[in-house]
C-alpha cells in the first residue's frame, strides 16, 4: 500500500530524531541484566506496619476468600495493616507487586502460580529491602528468588496422597477433572494422583460454567463405563461431579480437593469419599507471622524450607468437627 | 469522512479564521477522554501519597502501556467500522508461538519472533478477508477466530509441553538482544520505565499521523462512515479493512512479544477477555461503536485512564472486592463526559 504523505509529515519528521534519541537513551538496560543478585539486603530490626498480599486467585473465588480471611485475621491479631489484592493474569499480578513496592510496604506475601512471570517484580521487591514470603504454589522457586520463606502444600505430593487413598479404596480407573486451563498446580495434582493411582485420564472443564462442567463429567462417565473414581480439584466442581455421577448412574466414587459447605454435606451423606484440605487459612495467616518475626527479630523458619499446610484429609470421621469452621470461612 | 478531515485540519495554525480555540478544542474526539484522564490523575494524586512517586508513575504507565498499544490499533479498526474479538487471545497466541519455537524447537528468539509475526499477520488478513468476502459482521467472524485461537493455544501447548505454560525462553539464543527491544527498562530517576511504554508512545504517534495526515487515514474514516459511499468514490475498501485487521494482529504481536520476553513464561489461557478492555479504552477515548469517528490519541488516553484507575485503586488501599465496581463507575463517567462533548462538538460543526 502506498501512503502518500502530506505536508504534516514534514513537521512530524523533525520530531523523529528526538523520539529515536529518547528510545535509545543510555540508561536503558536489558531484561536479563537489570536484576541484581536476589539476596535480601540487610534490614535492621524494626516494626511491621503494613503487609501486601498479592495472589493469583480470581476475585470471588471461595478458596482464596479463606486465604484472605486468614491474612486479615493475622493482621488484626498482630496489629498489622494487611492489604489483599489479586489478579489471575500473571502480568497483571506482577504489576500489583510493583504497585506494593511503590507503596513501600514492610512485607510482601505472593502466590506463585507462574514463577517466571513474577521473578523480575519479586527480585525488585527483595532488592528494595522488602521481605517476601511466597504462598500456595512456587515452592521450588521461592528461595531462588530471595523469599525468606514459603507456606503451602506441595501439589504433586498432595495429588499422590489423594491418588493413593483412592487406589486403597479398591478403585480401578480414575478420572481427574481440571477446572482451570492455565493452572500449573492443577496439572501437578492430576499428574501426582494419576501416578499414585496407576490408571487414569484427565478431563478439562470450565469452572465458570457449572452447567457445562456437570454435563461433561456426566458425558465422560457415560462414554467410559470402566471409570469408577472421580477426583475434582475444587469444591464447586466436586458438587457438580457428585450430581454428574448420579445422573450418569455410573456409581463412581468421588473425592475432591478443598472444602465448602456442599462438600461437607456430601461427605456427611456419603456421596463424597474424602476432601483433601490444604488448610489455606494458614497460607494467609502464617506468612504475616513469619514477616512479623523477621521484621522485629530477624527470624526465619527452617532456613527457608517450605512450611507445609497440607494435605489434611476430611472424611466421615472428622467432618462434623470442621463443618462449623467451613461455614465461617476459615476452613 | 468529511467530519474527520475537518477534525484533523482544525489543528491550531492550519486555519487562520474560523471557530474559536474553545470550539476547535471541543470538536476533537479525544477531548472528553483528556479531561477524564486529568480528573482521574488529580483525584488519585490527592487521595494517595504514592501515586505521584516515580515508582508509582512507572507502575501505572506500565499497566496502561500494553493496553494502550492494543487500544490504539483497535481504535483504528473501530473507526474503520469493525471489531476484533480475537485481539486479546492474539497476545497469548503470538507469545506462545515465540516461546514454543525458541524453547522447544531451539530457534533463535529473533526467528521465533519473526515466525509469530507472520502468523499473526496471516490471522489478521484472514479475519479481514473473511469479513469482506462473506459480508458477515466482524463480531461473528472474529468471535470464531477468538475461539479457534483459544483452543489452539491450549491444545498445542499441552501437546508440545505436556503442561499448560511455556517457560525457559531466558536461556534461548538471541534472548538478550530481543529482550532489549521488547522488555528493557529505562531508568529515569527512580522510575523504571518499561520498553512497552516506549512502544506505546511511538505506535500511538505513528497511528495518529497515519490517521489524520495520510490518504490511508482518510480511507479508514471513509470505510467506517459509509462503506458504499466510500466504494463509490474509489476507496479500496477491502484492502483498507484487511490492513486494519492486520494492524490489530500486529499490535497483538507487539504486546505478546513484550510479555513473553519480560515475563519469560506464558500461560495457555492468557489474554482471554482482554479484547473487551481494548474496546472499552477505545470507546472511552472517543471512538464510536458505529464506526467513522474517533482518534488514536484518544484511545491511548483511554488506556491511560484505565491504567491509572486500576493501579490508583490499589494505591488508595480500597478493598479489592469493590475494585470492578469502581472501575465500572469510572468508565461510565468517562463515557458520559465524552458523549456530552461529542454532542456539543456536533453542534459546533453545524
Amino acid at each position: 500500500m502506498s501512503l502518500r504523505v502530506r505536508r504534516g509529515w514534514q513537521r512530524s519528521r523533525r520530531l523523529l530524531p528526538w523520539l529515536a534519541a529518547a528510545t535509545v537513551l543510555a540508561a536503558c538496560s536489558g531484561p536479563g541484566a537489570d536484576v541484581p543478585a536476589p539476596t535480601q539486603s540487610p534490614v535492621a530490626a524494626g516494626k511491621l506496619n503494613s503487609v501486601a498480599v498479592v495472589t493469583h486467585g480470581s476475585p470471588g473465588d471461595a478458596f482464596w476468600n479463606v486465604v484472605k480471611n486468614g491474612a486479615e485475621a493475622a493482621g488484626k491479631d498482630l496489629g498489622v495493616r494487611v492489604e489483599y489484592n489479586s489478579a489471575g493474569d500473571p502480568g497483571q499480578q506482577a504489576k500489583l507487586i510493583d504497585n506494593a513496592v511503590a507503596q513501600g510496604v514492610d512485607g510482601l506475601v505472593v502466590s506463585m502460580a507462574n514463577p517466571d512471570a513474577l521473578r523480575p517484580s519479586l527480585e525488585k521487591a527483595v532488592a528494595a529491602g522488602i521481605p517476601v514470603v511466597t504462598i500456595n504454589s512456587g515452592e521450588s522457586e521461592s528461595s531462588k528468588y530471595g523469599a525468606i520463606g514459603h507456606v503451602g502444600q506441595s501439589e504433586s505430593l498432595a495429588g499422590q496422597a489423594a491418588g493413593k487413598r483412592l487406589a486403597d479404596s479398591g478403585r480401578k480407573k480414575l478420572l481427574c477433572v481440571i477446572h482451570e486451563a492455565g493452572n500449573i498446580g492443577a496439572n501437578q495434582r492430576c499428574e501426582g494422583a494419576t501416578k499414585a493411582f496407576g490408571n487414569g485420564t484427565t478431563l478439562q472443564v470450565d469452572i465458570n460454567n457449572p452447567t457445562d462442567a456437570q454435563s461433561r463429567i456426566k458425558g465422560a462417565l457415560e462414554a467410559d463405563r470402566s471409570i469408577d473414581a472421580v477426583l475434582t480439584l475444587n469444591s464447586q466442581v466436586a458438587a457438580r461431579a457428585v450430581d454428574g455421577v448420579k445422573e450418569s448412574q455410573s456409581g463412581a466414587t468421588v473425592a475432591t480437593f478443598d472444602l465448602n459447605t456442599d462438600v461437607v454435606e456430601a461427605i456427611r451423606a456419603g456421596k463424597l469419599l474424602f476432601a483433601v484440605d490444604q488448610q489455606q487459612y494458614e497460607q494467609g495467616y502464617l506468612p504475616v507471622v513469619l514477616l512479623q518475626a523477621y521484621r522485629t527479630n530477624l527470624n526465619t523458619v527452617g532456613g527457608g524450607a517450605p512450611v507445609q499446610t497440607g494435605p489434611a484429609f476430611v472424611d466421615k470421621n472428622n467432618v462434623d468437627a470442621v463443618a462449623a469452621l467451613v461455614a465461617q470461612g476459615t476452613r | 469522512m468529511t467530519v474527520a478531515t475537518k477534525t484533523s485540519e482544525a489543528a491550531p495554525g492550519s486555519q487562520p479564521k474560523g471557530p474559536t480555540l474553545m470550539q476547535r478544542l471541543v470538536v476533537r474526539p479525544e477531548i472528553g477522554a483528556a479531561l477524564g484522564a486529568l480528573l482521574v490523575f488529580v483525584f488519585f494524586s490527592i487521595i494517595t501519597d504514592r501515586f505521584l512517586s516515580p515508582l508509582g508513575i512507572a507502575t501505572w504507565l506500565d499497566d496502561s502501556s500494553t493496553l494502550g498499544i492494543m487500544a490504539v490499533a483497535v481504535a483504528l479498526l473501530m473507526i474503520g467500522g469493525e471489531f476484533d474479538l480475537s485481539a486479546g487471545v492474539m497476545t497469548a497466541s503470538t507469545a506462545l508461538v515465540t516461546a514454543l519455537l525458541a524453547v522447544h524447537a531451539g530457534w533463535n528468539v529473533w526467528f521465533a519472533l519473526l515466525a509469530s509475526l507472520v502468523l499473526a499477520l496471516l490471522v489478521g488478513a484472514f479475519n479481514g478477508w473473511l469479513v469482506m468476502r462473506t459480508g458477515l459482521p466482524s463480531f461473528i467472524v472474529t468471535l470464531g477466530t477468538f475461539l479457534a485461537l483459544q483452543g489452539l493455544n491450549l491444545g498445542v501447548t499441552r501437546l508440545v509441553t505436556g503442561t499448560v505454560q511455556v517457560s525457559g525462553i531466558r536461556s534461548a539464543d538471541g534472548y538478550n538482544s530481543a529482550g532489549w527491544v521488547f522488555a528493557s527498562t529505562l531508568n529515569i530517576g527512580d522510575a523504571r520505565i518499561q520498553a512497552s511504554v516506549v512502544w506505546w508512545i511511538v505506535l500511538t504517534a505513528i497511528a495518529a499521523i497515519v490517521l489524520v495526515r495520510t490518504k490511508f487515514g482518510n480511507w479508514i474514516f471513509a470505510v467506517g462512515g459509509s462503506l458504499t459511499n466510500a466504494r463509490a468514490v474509489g476507496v479500496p475498501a477491502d484492502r483498507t479493512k484487511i490492513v486494519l485487521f492486520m494492524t490489530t494482529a500486529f499490535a497483538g504481536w507487539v504486546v505478546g512479544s513484550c510479555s513473553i520476553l519480560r515475563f519469560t513464561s506464558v500461560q495457555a489461557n492468557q489474554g482471554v477477555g482482554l479484547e473487551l478492555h481494548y474496546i472499552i479504552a477505545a470507546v472511552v477515548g472517543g471512538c464510536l461503536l458505529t464506526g467513522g469517528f474517533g482518534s488514536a490519541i484518544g484511545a491511548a488516553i483511554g488506556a491511560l485512564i484505565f491504567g491509572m484507575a486500576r493501579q490508583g485503586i490499589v494505591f488508595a488501599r480500597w478493598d479489592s472486592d469493590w475494585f470492578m465496581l469502581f472501575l465500572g463507575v469510572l468508565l461510565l463517567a468517562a463515557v458520559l463526559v465524552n458523549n456530552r462533548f461529542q454532542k456539543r462538538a456536533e453542534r459546533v460543526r453545524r
Side-chain angles (χ1 to χ4, degrees):
Chain A
M1 146 207 55
S2 73
L3 295 180
R4 208 179 307 150
V5 179
R6 284 194 259 143
R7 69 204 182 311
W9 176 240
Q10 300 290 334
R11 231 179 303 152
S12 4
R13 200 159 63 177
R14 260 177 268 147
L15 282 173
L16 272 186
W18 292 103
L19 275 178
T23 327
V24 294
L25 218 68
C28 222
S29 54
D34 65 345
V35 272
T39 44
Q40 180 70 52
S41 30
V43 194
K47 199 175 162 349
L48 186 75
N49 293 312
S50 60
V51 168
V53 182
V54 182
T55 75
H56 69 274
S58 48
D61 183 314
F63 175 89
W64 288 101
N65 184 45
V66 175
V67 176
K68 186 182 181 185
N69 287 344
E72 281 171 354
K76 206 177 270 174
D77 292 351
L78 300 175
V80 176
R81 194 180 61 222
V82 172
E83 307 288 343
Y84 179 93
N85 279 291
S86 64
D89 177 78
Q92 204 57 45
Q93 198 195 352
K95 283 163 198 171
L96 286 172
I97 297 171
D98 290 346
N99 191 317
V101 174
Q103 286 182 41
V105 293
D106 297 328
L108 191 58
V109 180
V110 176
S111 71
M112 286 207 297
N114 196 332
D116 275 356
L118 304 184
R119 184 175 176 173
S121 296
L122 282 181
E123 288 178 343
K124 221 185 293 174
V126 170
I130 300 172
V132 177
V133 174
T134 56
I135 58 168
N136 190 253
S137 28
E139 180 183 303
S140 52
E141 287 84 0
S142 175
S143 57
K144 261 190 271 172
Y145 294 180
I148 63 161
H150 178 85
V151 181
Q153 163 186 269
S154 161
E155 300 294 11
S156 39
L157 287 182
Q160 285 175 33
K164 188 171 177 302
R165 219 172 143 130
L166 276 170
D168 289 349
S169 72
R171 309 291 138 178
K172 298 283 175 262
K173 185 160 190 193
L174 175 72
L175 177 74
C176 191
V177 185
I178 294 181
H179 58 270
E180 272 176 318
N183 187 327
I184 199 156
N187 271 276
Q188 289 167 346
R189 282 181 187 172
C190 273
E191 274 165 20
T194 314
K195 200 171 110 191
F197 188 88
N199 178 23
T201 52
T202 57
L203 174 72
Q204 183 82 54
V205 302
D206 179 4
I207 190 173
N208 295 320
N209 189 346
T211 322
D212 169 70
Q214 180 164 331
S215 42
R216 274 204 227 185
I217 293 169
K218 186 182 154 203
L221 292 171
E222 281 169 352
D224 185 350
R225 284 282 168 193
S226 65
I227 294 172
D228 56 3
V230 179
L231 180 64
T232 60
L233 309 180
N234 173 286
S235 46
Q236 279 153 283
V237 184
R240 302 282 68 77
V242 167
D243 292 350
V245 166
K246 198 172 151 202
E247 281 177 15
S248 70
Q249 298 173 337
S250 86
T253 305
V254 186
T256 187
F257 277 73
D258 300 343
L259 292 167
N260 69 7
T261 41
D262 287 346
V263 167
V264 167
E265 288 303 317
I267 291 175
R268 269 193 185 136
K271 291 178 191 156
L272 260 174
L273 189 60
F274 62 84
V276 182
D277 184 12
Q278 66 170 299
Q279 308 188 92
Q280 70 273 29
Y281 183 80
E282 293 178 345
Q283 296 174 10
Y285 197 97
L286 291 181
V288 183
V289 177
L290 257 56
L291 287 168
Q292 169 93 333
Y294 182 80
R295 266 285 180 198
T296 55
N297 208 30
L298 299 179
N299 284 141
T300 53
V301 175
V307 178
Q308 297 288 340
T309 61
F313 286 92
V314 175
D315 55 19
K316 233 173 173 165
N317 298 323
N318 61 352
V319 64
D320 291 322
V322 294
L325 303 171
V326 171
Q328 72 181 32
T330 58
R331 275 300 286 269
Chain B
M1 169 194 176
T2 43
V3 166
T5 333
K6 260 186 210 152
T7 315
S8 69
E9 280 169 5
S14 60
Q15 266 183 331
K17 262 193 268 176
T20 65
L21 176 69
M22 190 59 204
Q23 282 168 330
R24 266 184 282 148
L25 269 179
V26 122
V27 296
R28 300 204 64 97
E30 59 271 70
I31 188 69
L35 282 177
L38 191 70
L39 202 73
V40 173
F41 177 81
V42 170
F43 178 71
F44 283 114
S45 300
I46 290 173
I47 68 159
T48 75
D49 50 349
R50 299 290 179 148
F51 188 78
L52 260 188
S53 70
L55 273 177
I57 293 171
T59 309
W60 49 258
L61 275 182
D62 179 22
D63 196 358
S64 311
S65 63
T66 44
L67 177 61
I69 292 168
M70 294 305 292
V72 167
V74 165
L76 295 190
L77 183 68
M78 278 174 70
I79 296 168
E82 305 290 347
F83 289 101
D84 187 353
L85 295 184
S86 67
V89 165
M90 181 61 81
T91 62
S93 297
T94 50
L96 281 167
V97 170
T98 307
L100 285 174
L101 289 176
V103 178
H104 289 267
W107 289 27
N108 183 295
V109 174
W110 283 107
F111 291 120
L113 283 169
L114 200 67
S116 62
L117 174 62
V118 170
L119 210 77
L121 293 178
L122 283 176
V123 174
F126 173 77
N127 275 338
W129 174 80
L130 204 61
V131 166
M132 296 317 282
R133 186 64 192 254
T134 60
L136 288 170
S138 54
F139 195 87
I140 298 300
V141 170
T142 58
L143 190 62
T145 26
F146 161 68
L147 296 171
L149 285 176
Q150 198 183 340
L152 273 175
N153 285 356
L154 185 59
V156 171
T157 310
R158 180 115 59 180
L159 203 65
V160 176
T161 67
T163 173
V164 289
Q165 47 182 242
V166 190
S167 54
I169 200 174
R170 209 184 284 270
S171 48
D173 287 342
Y175 172 75
N176 283 338
S177 54
W180 190 86
V181 174
F182 288 102
S184 55
T185 48
L186 185 71
N187 290 327
I188 301 176
D190 286 345
R192 295 155 69 91
I193 306 295
Q194 295 288 339
S196 53
V197 177
V198 178
W199 276 96
W200 178 36
I201 294 168
V202 170
L203 291 179
T204 305
I206 292 172
I209 290 167
V210 167
L211 193 59
V212 298
R213 291 280 183 237
T214 67
K215 191 156 94 184
F216 186 70
N218 279 341
W219 291 350
I220 298 176
F221 282 110
V223 295
S226 166
L227 191 59
T228 23
N229 287 353
R231 277 197 170 123
V233 296
V235 171
D238 290 17
R239 210 207 301 168
T240 307
K241 290 212 179 184
I242 290 173
V243 168
L244 285 176
F245 276 106
M246 289 170 80
T247 308
T248 53
F250 169 77
W253 173 78
V254 172
V255 171
S257 305
C258 285
S259 103
I260 181 63
L261 290 167
R262 177 175 170 195
F263 299 124
T264 67
S265 81
V266 53
Q267 235 165 260
N269 65 347
Q270 222 161 288
V272 176
L274 291 184
E275 57 284 338
L276 285 182
H277 292 192
Y278 309 147
I279 293 172
I280 290 167
V283 170
V284 168
C287 288
L288 288 189
L289 285 163
T290 48
F293 185 83
S295 98
I297 294 176
I301 298 175
L304 184 66
I305 294 181
F306 214 113
M308 286 197 297
R310 195 150 56 179
Q311 297 299 325
I313 286 168
V314 182
F315 279 118
R317 302 212 162 97
W318 289 340
D319 187 338
S320 55
D321 287 356
W322 302 92
F323 182 93
M324 285 294 170
L325 173 68
F326 289 128
L327 210 57
V329 170
L330 212 94
L331 288 174
L332 274 181
V335 175
L336 286 175
V337 168
N338 232 346
N339 198 25
R340 219 184 155 82
F341 270 94
Q342 224 156 1
K343 285 207 178 106
R344 190 173 292 184
E346 273 154 23
R347 274 208 298 279
V348 170
R349 247 183 245 125
R350 275 188 208 117

